[in-house]
Amino acid sequence: MSKALRDNWDRRIGELKYGGVWSIYMAKSNTRHPASRAALKIPRKDWNGKNVTVEHAIPFKVFYPAFMHAETTSDLRILIDAYHVAVVTRVEDKRLRDAGLNQEMPPGWTWDDDPLARWKAVGIRVEF
């Protein structure tokens, strides 16, 4: 269920907000697709799985339970507003892993906080 939800959510909300977000291949030709400042130093035509990855601001492990407990359209609006995805470099992705933030938000983070807090904690700056 969670994979189906994630894939559908990425396609629908990602399409709405960014014109599509589900792969590096799609991001290469989509100038609306957000990317970190470091990733933008690499020409989009040269993006590949060895030098960049697509990263969610809020890991799906955190996002999924909130989605499953959403009861109102207001709850869903909070999730849609908090949904951000960007192409980041593999070096930036490693910084998230090294900080223990590859599948977690920073300690004490709540849905009222900045959805980009995880990226900011390791110095990832994204251009939207």
Side-chain angles (χ1 to χ4, degrees), residues 28-95:
K28 287 170 83 163
S29 61
N30 177 0
T31 58
R32 287 180 51 208
H33 195 294
S36 70
R37 290 180 183 170
L40 289 171
K41 291 179 181 177
I42 303 167
R44 282 184 187 256
K45 66 178 181 57
D46 295 334
W47 285 357
N48 61 60
K50 292 181 181 179
N51 60 14
V52 296
T53 188
V54 176
E55 178 66 43
H56 292 81
I58 299 173
F60 199 71
K61 180 181 173 186
V62 175
F63 203 88
Y64 181 74
F67 183 85
M68 295 308 290
H69 289 100
E71 296 179 353
T72 66
T73 54
S74 295
D75 293 341
L76 288 175
R77 174 54 52 195
I78 289 168
L79 298 178
I80 290 168
D81 291 346
Y83 176 89
H84 297 286
V85 64
V87 172
V88 301
T89 67
R90 288 291 180 178
V91 170
E92 291 171 318
D93 185 56
K94 184 176 183 319
R95 288 199 316 249

Side-chain angles (χ1 to χ4, degrees), residues 4 11 16-17 23 26 31 36 40 42-43 49 65 67 74 89 96 99 103 105 110 114 116 126:
R11 284 192 181 99
L16 175 73
K17 290 181 92 169
S23 73
M26 293 290 294
T31 58
S36 70
L40 289 171
I42 303 167
F67 183 85
S74 295
T89 67
L96 285 169
Q103 293 186 30
M105 292 301 285
T110 70
D114 183 356
L116 306 181
V126 174

